[in-house]
Amino acid sequence: MSGARLRAEQLEAWQNNLRHECNVSPHTLSAYLRDLDKLDKHLEPSDTWQSLKTKDISHVLGELHRKGLEARSLHRWLSSVRSFYDFLLRQGLADHNPAKGIQGPQTAKTLPKVLDADQVSGMLDMTCDSPLLIRDHAILELFYSAGIRLSELVGLNVGDVVLNDGQARVLGKGSKERDVLIGSKARQALEKWLTVRSSFANEGETALFVSKNGKRISQRQVQVRIKEWGKRHGLDMPLHPHMLRHSFASHILESSGDLRAVQEMLGHSDISTTQVYTHLDFQHLADVYDKTHPRARKKD
């Protein structure tokens, strides 16, 4: 069997493992396969995955860098290659992971953009009459109230939300369930949406949020509607679901200083992921300092 044919068969086995055993999303699966395809295109027909050495992976990494692939994408590419080789090792199809230990290029830390509390209030403190706007309002309130991810919101079913208790159960990354809190404003918006949801939802549809065709709303539809909402309310930057999640985390941390609590609320498995919000909090303090300290303010 040719090396190229063997590579293709082992990639297919990994794909089946990701889809059926690891339950990764179609979006994640597609990203993994694109990354491995970048590596495969640099190989000779006779090469096998087992035959590759660390220097081969480093060479391809350098080629991708020279072609303009950004540092963040290169790190993801390395992660995909390592994950694939870990699978080969578990299956006895390789005896080493040539991507292990390779360092990707340094990335500049960029802080997520957040809204301040007044901006959020300006967008959400309103009364909606149109069923579609009632739905969109409930979506935005829930994003900001619970700090959930886009995939978690879209995956919610009616039965996952207990408004009397102010809680919802979401399915996060790695198929991990967690309970999130729903504030009073979001509860009111959801109650209003549930009174008109039946005018949209198809019979038997379990999704909490549905589109005009009566089926579960898609992630893309939510992104488009939220962006339009931001434009309509005069926001000077594109509004997206993750901005609301970032704003939620920043505002909670700013008020409480409890990083562990924010980690739990966001569903981060590693607290280092949550620590970016400590930078946001410090940035806020620095802004206040510059504006209020007598010896910090610039003279007019």
Side-chain angles (χ1 to χ4, degrees), residues 113-164:
K113 292 182 179 179
V114 299
L115 304 169
D116 61 39
D118 289 337
Q119 286 176 309
V120 174
S121 296
M123 284 198 308
L124 298 183
D125 288 347
M126 59 178 300
T127 301
C128 302
D129 297 320
S130 158
L132 281 179
L133 291 180
I134 289 173
R135 180 202 63 191
D136 295 347
H137 186 221
I139 286 174
L140 270 86
E141 286 281 9
L142 186 55
F143 269 132
Y144 180 63
S145 177
I148 57 179
R149 301 178 177 95
L150 174 58
S151 60
E152 293 169 347
L153 179 132
V154 168
L156 276 172
N157 293 322
V158 174
D160 295 328
V161 178
V162 184
L163 291 180
N164 289 338

Side-chain angles (χ1 to χ4, degrees), residues 206-271:
T206 60
L208 176 61
F209 294 111
V210 295
S211 63
K212 287 189 291 187
N213 64 13
K215 299 179 181 179
R216 185 181 301 275
I217 197 169
S218 71
Q219 293 189 24
R220 181 59 184 156
Q221 286 172 315
V222 172
Q223 290 170 326
V224 169
R225 296 292 295 187
I226 285 183
K227 188 174 182 179
E228 289 178 353
W229 187 287
K231 284 182 180 179
R232 194 181 306 121
H233 290 86
L235 200 64
D236 59 359
M237 65 184 95
L239 182 63
H240 54 82
H242 228 60
M243 187 182 293
L244 292 164
R245 177 171 159 87
H246 290 322
S247 301
F248 159 86
S250 179
H251 297 168
I252 292 288
L253 183 61
E254 188 178 307
S255 298
S256 69
D258 193 333
L259 191 64
R260 287 288 180 185
V262 175
Q263 178 192 3
E264 290 294 323
M265 292 177 192
L266 293 175
H268 287 161
S269 57
D270 189 338
I271 198 167

